[in-house]
Amino acid sequence: MENYKPITKATADRFLQLLKTKGPQSAAMLAAALNITGEGARLQLLKLAEEGLVMSVTTSKGVGRPVQIWDLTPVGHAHFPDTHAEFTLQLLETIKVELGEDALEKVVAAREQQQHEKYFNALSGITDVADKLEAFAALRTREGYLAEWAEDGEGGYFFIENHCPICNAALNCANICKSELRTFKNLMGDGVEVERADHIISGARRCVYKIVVLVNPLS
């Protein structure tokens, strides 16, 4: 027990954020990322498990000892903010019931226009795709999406949103997600293709967009 330290909120948040952004991890992987001992990480994970925030499964790959892999529980996922979820759902339902589907479509379209203008102004003057993704990830992270980007090894990129703060609203109004994708495509501009590869509301752990830079967008 010499490696154990009582878990603090800051420590718990670091574990939970790593599992949220990087996906299921072993205690050794988490220990390396957090620069602590493997035993210390395991004990902290057990404490988080007692609180219902994480869970583990044992996997075996080839020869050697089975490995315990840790992931967030639904309670752990709920640790991250959902932007005024209950109020948003009530508002959407009220618009749909009182004003009709067409009114709800107009609200989603108006939000899309506002989002586009905000992002377009923030990214104005940035032409390099990687630089644009970097700036956009910073904007979305400030909004609660825990966004990041990476090269795909084939000349393109992945844009990753590890959390969706409007997930409950999107589950109840699919056009919100369609609107988000249109906004992203418009921001990236001509000569760049954007395709959603993973989708949280379809059961994926995170939303992932694949970005392909066309050599000749006119061909």
Side-chain angles (χ1 to χ4, degrees):
M1 297 293 289
E2 61 187 23
N3 293 316
Y4 180 77
K5 295 179 181 178
I7 194 164
T8 64
K9 184 180 184 303
T11 302
D13 286 346
R14 292 172 70 197
F15 274 80
L16 296 176
Q17 181 148 339
L18 271 174
L19 290 173
K20 185 69 172 175
T21 57
K22 303 303 180 184
Q25 306 272 306
S26 67
M29 295 165 69
L30 289 164
L34 296 171
N35 196 30
I36 61 176
T37 66
E39 181 65 6
R42 189 182 69 82
L43 291 169
Q44 302 282 29
L45 287 164
L46 290 174
K47 178 62 176 175
L48 289 172
E50 290 176 2
E51 297 176 6
L53 296 168
V54 302
M55 59 186 177
S56 67
V57 295
T58 300
T59 63
S60 179
K61 294 183 179 180
V63 297
R65 296 176 57 186
V67 177
Q68 201 170 22
I69 301 297
W70 294 86
D71 198 5
L72 295 175
T73 64
V75 175
H77 282 291
H79 174 81
F80 296 89
D82 190 359
T83 309
H84 308 300
E86 185 176 355
F87 173 76
T88 301
L89 291 179
Q90 290 175 346
L91 187 59
L92 290 174
E93 187 62 23
T94 300
I95 293 171
K96 187 187 299 184
V97 171
E98 298 295 330
L99 301 176
E101 292 281 355
D102 288 345
L104 183 57
E105 289 296 316
K106 289 180 181 179
V107 170
V108 173
R111 175 185 179 273
E112 179 179 336
Q113 181 63 30
Q114 292 169 357
Q115 291 285 88
H116 181 270
E117 290 178 1
K118 178 177 69 174
Y119 295 143
F120 183 83
N121 290 335
L123 302 179
S124 179
I126 304 176
T127 56
D128 180 76
V129 173
D131 290 344
K132 188 174 289 189
L133 292 174
E134 178 73 21
F136 190 47
L139 286 171
R140 295 289 274 184
T141 293
R142 286 197 291 272
E143 294 175 355
Y145 289 84
L146 295 179
E148 57 186 327
W149 67 279
E151 296 181 3
D152 67 1
E154 299 177 353
Y157 306 89
F158 290 115
F159 189 82
I160 302 157
E161 293 180 338
N162 293 288
H163 180 61
C164 179
I166 59 168
C167 188
N168 283 347
L171 282 168
N172 287 271
C173 182
N175 283 339
I176 290 177
C177 287
K178 294 177 182 177
S179 171
E180 295 262 294
L181 181 57
R182 283 195 300 268
T183 296
F184 194 4
K185 287 180 175 180
N186 289 335
L187 284 172
M188 296 311 296
D190 295 334
V192 179
E193 288 185 346
V194 179
E195 175 183 305
R196 186 186 279 120
D198 290 318
H199 200 188
I200 290 174
I201 68 170
S202 296
R205 180 175 63 83
R206 57 191 185 172
C207 285
V208 178
Y209 300 86
K210 183 172 177 59
I211 296 96
V212 177
V213 181
L214 302 177
V215 176
N216 183 359
L218 298 179
S219 61

